Amino acid sequence: MAITASLKLDDKEYPLPVIVGTEGEKAIDTRQLRAASGYIAFDQGYGNTGSCESQITFLDGDNGILRHRGYPIEQLARYSDYVETAYLIIYGELPNATQRKEFGLRLRKNAAVEMQMQKILEGFPTNASPMAMLSAMVSALPAYYPDLATNNFEKDLKNFDLAAAIAISKIRTMVAMIYRYTHGLPYMFPKQELPFAENFLHMMFSEPYQDYAAAPEVAKALNLVLLLHADHEQNCSTSTVRMVGSSAANLFTSISAGVNALSGPLHGGANVAVMQMLQSIHDEGDDGTRFIAAAKSGSKSNRLMGFGHAVYRNFDPRAKIIGDACDVVLKKLGISDPLLDIAKNLEQAALKDDYFVSRKLYPNVDFYSGIIMRAVGIPMNMFTTMFAIGRAPGYIANWKEVASNPKGRIYRPRQIYVGAQKRDYTTIDHRA
Ligand code: CMC
């Protein structure tokens, strides 16, 4: 039997339909409320608002559950790899052998970035933010592939497979190019024979006459980091992709908006902020007490980076996987990183502190991901671009849902205006 809710306003009752998801999540459908009553639903920052129905990712923040297309993140992290998980997220099913091969081939064939794009990159100062460079390069993709980026859902969906492969594969190449450019190193072209993670490591670390041979542990660690970032439901950047995509903007343009949203320190930029925090604790010989005390002030600019999450209220399952992996990866690579010890001590101290406990603030994925990336050899200022490579499948799958929804509308929230009421214009000499 269909459940309905009802809202009583000024003695009038408004029945509101209830939507129930496949995992039992419930929502009150307020779409017709304004037309019927003149009221809108108010929810600053959309923290309690469902902006869409989606089949991609299920997240239960109270119980630390994350599943892509039904598959638990723990199983994907253990048995799958980034490319296979990307396929799953984008196409809804794990690929069979032929699909996996074809998808891999599309990624391999579309790895190289057009020579002209080097000029875009080289227009930036070498000390510019890598995320600014990345978003500019992704923004430029429609210019190189106008047939795949027509800003017409129907036409763009016809070329979706190719556009998706270009986005995933080239974003990875762009990140490697950004690294090489900002470090004054010659670009390394992708090698078709290499798997995804190994190819990235080659483009980052090979030298003109000396190929970088990735240790299997390094490629595996990188795969894990990318896989754990592959999608995360309606976060700030993915919702941005959906919002921009809802205007019928093409896939590349929508992703570049997501890359910009990702750059902020409260979102993807947190992985850099965590490492800066750990490094400064190390440099000062502190035990983290200063950061914990400052974080408790309630100021947004002093938060304990890598802690807390907009949705997880128990634990972030990705943090658990990556935290455990840190020990294994560092051991396998024979690295001892003092920042890992500092992170562990900080975590223990915060988890005993009433401020964090009472607010249900736990380490998130960014708390430990930087330690692994550092072990792999990725410099800190490139961390958020690594997040962007990882998140590409999520952006693509969400764009596809928007583009293929026959009942979709342009995203357009409303507001409650609290500014000045109507007043008459005065000339400058009559103003106070
Ligand atoms: N350090 C100190 N206090 C915090 C923190 C923190 N890291 N996070 C939240 N709080 C406080 C917050 O000020 C609020 O306090 P009060 O109740 O006294 O006003 C309380 O905890 C509840 O905050 P919230 O509603 O859980 O936080 P939010 O939903 O507004 O923000 C967040 C979520 C992730 C932006 C925030 O926790 C944060 O800024 N964390 C640090 C940055 C970070 O690590 N971001 C990466 C997120 S995971 C990767 C991704 O998906 O982007």
Side-chain angles (χ1 to χ4, degrees), residues 73-328:
I73 191 68
E74 293 79 7
Q75 290 182 22
L76 294 171
R78 185 150 189 199
Y79 302 115
S80 183
D81 62 16
Y82 171 69
V83 171
E84 185 183 66
T85 297
Y87 184 99
L88 169 72
I89 287 171
I90 295 170
Y91 293 104
E93 295 295 337
L94 285 167
N96 62 28
T98 313
Q99 290 163 333
R100 173 66 183 79
K101 205 171 155 200
E102 283 171 3
F103 184 56
L105 203 61
R106 273 203 300 282
L107 295 179
R108 284 168 199 245
K109 278 188 176 164
N110 289 290
V113 165
E114 289 64 22
M115 298 291 274
Q116 269 182 309
M117 271 218 192
Q118 290 178 13
K119 291 189 184 148
I120 297 176
L121 182 55
E122 287 159 14
F124 280 87
T126 49
N127 63 355
S129 147
M131 285 297 275
M133 299 184 194
L134 181 62
S135 82
M137 291 175 88
V138 179
S139 283
L141 280 173
Y144 294 89
Y145 299 97
D147 295 347
L148 312 184
T150 64
N151 295 335
N152 173 304
F153 281 151
E154 219 173 292
K155 287 187 192 159
D156 287 353
L157 281 170
K158 276 196 186 128
N159 294 307
F160 173 78
D161 291 347
L162 180 57
I166 286 175
I168 295 181
S169 204
K170 288 195 202 294
I171 286 177
R172 168 199 50 175
T173 305
M174 288 168 187
V175 170
M177 284 172 73
I178 292 167
Y179 167 75
R180 306 284 304 190
Y181 171 61
T182 53
H183 287 76
L185 299 166
Y187 303 119
M188 283 291 138
F189 294 100
K191 288 189 170 187
Q192 268 213 28
E193 68 274 19
L194 289 177
F196 193 88
E198 284 82 347
N199 210 351
F200 174 71
L201 291 164
H202 149 70
M203 290 188 274
M204 289 284 285
F205 303 127
S206 283
E207 292 305 330
Y209 298 105
Q210 197 171 1
D211 277 356
Y212 172 91
E217 295 81 23
V218 172
K220 202 169 166 212
L222 183 60
N223 251 302
L224 180 70
V225 171
L226 296 178
L227 183 152
L228 289 177
H229 286 91
D231 188 42
H232 208 234
E233 211 223 40
Q234 296 313 313
N235 54 84
C236 173
S237 56
T238 303
S239 293
T240 299
V241 169
R242 285 188 89 111
M243 171 146 318
V244 173
S246 77
S247 73
N250 66 77
L251 177 68
F252 305 133
T253 301
S254 305
I255 295 178
S256 75
V259 170
N260 281 317
L262 187 67
S263 65
L266 299 188
H267 189 14
N271 53 18
V272 176
V274 171
M275 293 304 278
Q276 283 168 337
M277 177 181 77
L278 296 176
Q279 189 64 53
S280 102
I281 294 173
H282 180 255
D283 294 347
E284 290 168 21
D286 186 19
D287 60 358
T289 317
R290 187 169 66 80
F291 276 90
I292 291 191
K296 286 156 65 170
S297 71
S299 147
K300 266 194 186 160
S301 17
N302 284 326
R303 286 186 164 174
L304 192 61
M305 299 316 285
F307 254 73
H309 198 275
V311 216
Y312 292 121
R313 294 290 174 233
N314 192 335
F315 67 94
D316 177 341
R318 304 167 302 168
K320 219 164 177 296
I321 297 168
I322 216 158
D324 293 345
C326 266
D327 283 318
V328 181

Side-chain angles (χ1 to χ4, degrees), residues 41-69:
F42 182 75
D43 178 22
Q44 168 138 18
Y46 318 129
N48 197 43
T49 293
S51 62
C52 60
E53 289 177 288
S54 176
Q55 300 180 355
I56 305 164
T57 289
F58 172 66
L59 200 165
D60 174 349
D62 293 329
N63 296 304
I65 293 173
L66 174 64
R67 294 182 204 137
H68 297 315
R69 305 286 190 179

